[in-house]
Amino acid sequence: MFGAADYGVDIQVDDGDTERLLSVTPDDVSAAESLSFCRNVFVPLTTACRYTCTYCTYYEPPGQASLLSPAEIRDICERGADAGCTEALFTFGDDPDDRYERIHGQLAEWGHDSIHDYLREACDIALDCGLLPHSNPGDQTREQMGRVADLNASVGVMLETTAEVRAHGGPRAKEPGQRLATIATAGELGVPFTTGILVGIGETARDRAESILAIRELHERYGHIQEIIVQPVSNNDRWQQGSPELETLRRATAMARAGLPAEISVQSPPNLAPVRELLDCGVDDLGGVSPVTDDHVNPDYAWPALRELENIAEEAGVPLEERLPVQDRYAASEWLSPRIQSAIEADSEAGRRYRRVLESV
Ligand SMILES: O=c1nc2n(C[C@H](O)[C@H](O)[C@H](O)CO)c3cc(O)ccc3cc-2c(=O)[nH]1
Ligand SMILES: C[C@H]1O[C@@H](n2cnc3c(N)ncnc32)[C@H](O)[C@@H]1O
Ligand code: MET
Ligand code: SF4
């Protein structure tokens, strides 16, 4: 349990008063009544990336970066569909800049003038294989997101933090302003959205509170945030500064739960976080878990088997529920394009699989 600690963070407001904007006490947060997860395949479209985040081993420099071919995308998606998955997760490097001539040349050869134009084809392949696309291409302009919105069940980008941190520094720095703009764009376009905070990259507790409040504000404006991931940064060959302490993660998770409306799920990734020790802080989702592919962003951290997720839920005394990459409350409304809606409703093997997942909860 929480102990006596007050999880609050003082935020100094403009007029000089100190206001407790995000003050969390044990009474504000309790364990969720169920745990959900989504069966997915991870499709790493390209390892090219305009940024160089210091904790990330995913991106590769221009001479080495790769691009999956349409045949490779289809192969991953078919394996996913065969394993009962419902989601194709397109997570890849942020919009490769002009240093990546080779990648742009390859895209041009395949008839695409941008990575988003190619993502559109990739989503089409996933749908054709019976998977619902969830794309996480990092920062996007309105035009880029608009290019792929109708072929995605949901879209996501980790806010990570509103703070300027050294981990994002250097000549090609990820900027919080641009991340927030991407989340706002999704709201304007009416796209169900996943975001999250990355804990332990040099941000303070106050920065985490501000990040959560920024997400809340955008959700209040657009109503499009379906879940927030509270993700601990993990050690790898490029990042050896360690992961956050359990207590830090507990505070961050509790703060997310208490600071956001109940309809927003709080996700803890079971391959990166000690989920069992976070459940009483309000976690209700275990995110996308793959029976088929690695977590290509954190390849040293294997997905737990379904049996392990069942154990976690059983020990907590709550049901484990499979979900689609879009939350039920967006599923049958104006939030989804006709193409995605008809994929869910289709009288096909995939449509029946989606409805089984929807009806199981
Ligand atoms: O398998 C993963 N899924 C990741 N997901 C997918 C997530 O686990 C769920 O599959 C989605 O929430 C859709 O239901 C992300 C989704 C986002 O929108 C933003 C970031 C991530 C990060 C990961 C990730 O590192 N690994
Ligand atoms: C897919 C998401 O994974 C996160 N990400 C990138 N590198 C790491 C790491 N070492 N540990 C945890 N998360 C990471 C980024 O925030 C990205 O948005
Ligand atoms: C591989 S990282 C995930 C997608 C994107 N490059 C981001 O940082 O948000
Ligand atoms: S975390 Fe995403 S944006 Fe940062 S370097 Fe890795 S792939 Fe690029």
Side-chain angles (χ1 to χ4, degrees):
M1 294 320 275
F2 283 21
D6 180 334
Y7 283 16
V9 172
D10 289 325
I11 293 184
Q12 191 80 29
V13 292
D14 285 341
D15 61 5
D17 287 340
T18 297
E19 202 181 317
R20 283 184 90 72
L21 280 181
L22 254 183
S23 171
V24 185
T25 63
D27 292 340
D28 296 327
V29 179
S30 55
E33 284 167 16
S34 64
L35 278 173
S36 54
F37 77 104
C38 180
R39 225 182 278 248
N40 74 8
V41 280
F42 195 129
V43 193
L45 210 54
T46 180
T47 58
C49 182
R50 63 172 55 240
Y51 300 133
T52 50
C53 307
T54 63
Y55 45 75
C56 176
T57 48
Y58 178 84
Y59 74 90
E60 293 182 297
Q64 293 158 33
S66 58
L67 186 66
L68 292 183
S69 68
E72 288 170 316
I73 296 168
R74 186 171 290 277
D75 179 61
I76 299 170
C77 291
E78 279 174 354
R79 284 194 290 130
D82 286 347
C85 298
T86 60
E87 175 189 71
L89 168 67
F90 293 102
T91 290
F92 52 96
D94 275 54
D95 202 5
D97 55 25
D98 51 18
R99 293 172 303 148
Y100 288 95
E101 270 174 47
R102 207 172 49 83
I103 297 288
H104 291 292
Q106 181 66 79
L107 284 171
E109 220 174 277
W110 291 336
H112 300 288
D113 61 1
S114 67
I115 195 74
H116 270 75
D117 197 56
Y118 188 41
L119 175 59
R120 195 171 167 80
E121 178 177 341
C123 292
D124 198 48
I125 294 171
L127 281 162
D128 192 44
C129 294
L131 298 179
L132 296 171
H134 168 94
S135 296
N136 170 24
D139 292 335
Q140 295 167 82
T141 62
R142 192 190 171 97
E143 195 199 347
Q144 287 173 323
M145 205 185 294
R147 186 91 191 94
V148 297
D150 65 319
L151 295 186
N152 277 272
S154 59
V155 171
V157 68
M158 294 280 279
L159 169 60
E160 297 190 356
T161 179
T162 49
E164 305 224 340
V165 290
R166 285 240 308 270
H168 291 155
R172 285 176 289 278
K174 227 179 212 178
E175 284 169 25
Q178 226 167 352
R179 300 246 135 190
L180 290 166
T182 300
I183 304 173
T185 297
E188 282 166 19
L189 294 176
V191 175
F193 205 77
T194 296
T195 187
I197 57 172
L198 191 55
V199 183
I201 55 171
E203 83 292 356
T204 64
R206 181 198 157 114
D207 294 331
R208 290 190 285 274
E210 285 185 348
S211 303
I212 289 163
L213 290 173
I215 293 167
R216 177 165 88 188
E217 202 180 300
L218 287 164
H219 182 69
E220 277 166 1
R221 204 174 320 154
Y222 302 108
H224 66 314
I225 307 294
Q226 57 172 3
E227 72 189 308
I228 172 172
I229 305 173
V230 181
Q231 179 140 312
V233 71
S234 307
N235 265 350
N236 56 42
D237 290 347
R238 285 194 177 126
W239 179 265
Q240 269 119 39
Q241 299 177 44
S243 290
E245 299 282 330
L246 175 61
E247 196 54 24
T248 306
L249 213 48
R250 286 176 56 77
R251 284 171 184 252
T253 308
M255 207 150 65
R257 181 62 292 159
L260 295 167
E263 74 258 22
I264 299 183
S265 269
V266 175
Q267 179 192 135
S268 181
N271 61 329
L272 304 180
V275 170
R276 286 182 174 81
E277 291 159 277
L278 296 167
L279 292 180
D280 62 312
C281 300
V283 171
D284 65 357
D285 185 71
L286 304 173
V289 173
S290 184
V292 178
T293 52
D294 284 347
D295 180 341
H296 291 281
V297 181
N298 296 285
D300 300 338
Y301 301 83
W303 291 122
L306 182 55
R307 184 67 221 144
E308 175 68 7
L309 304 186
E310 283 167 353
N311 284 343
I312 293 173
E314 207 172 286
E315 283 165 34
V318 296
L320 179 70
E321 291 166 353
E322 186 173 351
R323 65 164 172 83
L324 295 183
V326 59
Q327 270 187 4
D328 301 358
R329 73 191 153 97
Y330 298 112
S333 70
E334 71 284 1
W335 290 89
L336 296 185
S337 70
R339 175 86 186 265
I340 298 292
Q341 262 184 333
S342 64
I344 294 173
E345 285 157 19
D347 188 20
S348 63
E349 196 197 321
R352 283 191 289 276
R353 179 153 29 92
Y354 302 143
R355 282 197 302 281
R356 241 193 336 267
V357 169
L358 283 176
E359 282 157 15
S360 71
V361 292

